[in-house]
Amino acid sequence: MATNERIFVQAIRSYGARHGIDVDVRADGWLIAMRRGDMRRFAFGYDIGLNSAIAHRLANDKSATSEALSLQGLPYIPHHLFLNPKLGRNVVGPDWREAMLALLHDHPQGVVVKPNEGTSGRSVFKVTTPTQLDRAASEVFSMSTGLVISPYIAIEDEVRVVLLDDAPLVVYSKQRGSDWRHNLDAGAKPVLLEDGATRSACVTLAADAARAIGIIFASIDVVRVDGAWRVLEINSGVMMEALGKLHPELVQATYDAALDRVFRNEG
């Protein structure tokens, strides 16, 4: 096994070796073909292939997730969509910049600008001035067909819940470092949550969010703002690289459970 492989890839290799599944890793680990007899399944990125196409697309679209949660009356952090002006005036409309500035005006504490799709906190900007807003929008539009703007809020705690069929397999908080973000790639540390009121509240909200878009296997980020929990985002690809370095057995068991579901393996 290559030592530089992602933990996700290593976990699938391990599962395959223990269950008689041929594992063929392609594209530097981003495409994985799994075969047992006549059954073939694929993993792509961090998506293990359990979710429907529409659930996957909703989860990967921050604006769509926000709208779906709103329809269910769940507490969430709003994400306002703006399409790349390169798509054309007929698609984007003439007043997109004015609408961005209006959001900034309505939130003098600042707003957060980030790609509508994507993970790991890349190209995420906190802005408080029109100049910063233009710079952030230009950066995001240079690599994305759309961006979202959400109000900057003081997040007291952030918790990630990994669910499989509504069952919480992993629940941990993200302990922020010196950065204002709680992203693990930005230096936050994962800390497993013990049973208690906080864990119970986060699991309940995460399960409600998963049902709102019909997703089976996902990691759901919830945040506490002014003492109340809200959904931040839903991730169809379940990435546990940072957690896997601290709790490899737990991460392997989580992927094992998901792969059991993929292959309908009861033993």
Side-chain angles (χ1 to χ4, degrees), residues 7 10-11 17 30 36 38 40 42 47 55 69 71 73 119 133 153 161-162 178 188 200 233 257:
I7 288 171
Q10 295 175 24
W30 293 102
R36 184 169 64 189
D38 294 332
R40 170 170 284 186
F42 291 94
D47 193 316
L69 296 173
L71 287 171
T119 59
L133 179 62
I153 52 178
V161 181
V162 178
S178 57
S200 178
E233 64 181 34

Side-chain angles (χ1 to χ4, degrees), residues 147-164:
L147 62 77
V148 286
I149 297 179
S150 57
Y152 174 75
I153 52 178
I155 294 176
E156 297 155 6
D157 292 294
E158 180 170 339
V159 170
R160 173 163 289 182
V161 181
V162 178
L163 291 173
L164 176 64

Side-chain angles (χ1 to χ4, degrees), residues 59-82:
N60 283 352
D61 186 303
K62 296 178 177 64
S63 174
T65 295
S66 180
E67 295 289 352
L69 296 173
S70 174
L71 287 171
Q72 292 300 113
L74 296 175
Y76 67 99
I77 303 300
H79 289 76
H80 302 277
L81 175 66
F82 292 88

Side-chain angles (χ1 to χ4, degrees), residues 137-227:
S138 177
E139 174 74 18
V140 176
F141 280 147
S142 71
M143 47 77 72
S144 177
T145 58
L147 62 77
V148 286
I149 297 179
S150 57
Y152 174 75
I153 52 178
I155 294 176
E156 297 155 6
D157 292 294
E158 180 170 339
V159 170
R160 173 163 289 182
V161 181
V162 178
L163 291 173
L164 176 64
D165 290 322
D166 288 345
L169 303 184
V170 178
V171 184
Y172 63 87
S173 64
K174 299 180 183 180
Q175 300 297 318
R176 184 173 56 193
S178 57
D179 196 284
W180 59 272
R181 296 170 296 169
H182 283 76
N183 301 92
L184 298 176
D185 281 1
K189 303 298 182 185
V191 178
L192 294 177
L193 281 187
E194 301 292 336
D195 289 340
T198 294
R199 189 181 190 278
S200 178
C202 292
V203 167
T204 297
L205 179 56
D208 288 342
R211 285 191 292 270
I213 67 168
I215 203 162
I216 294 171
F217 184 49
S219 63
I220 300 174
D221 293 334
V222 298
V223 294
R224 188 169 65 183
V225 180
D226 295 330

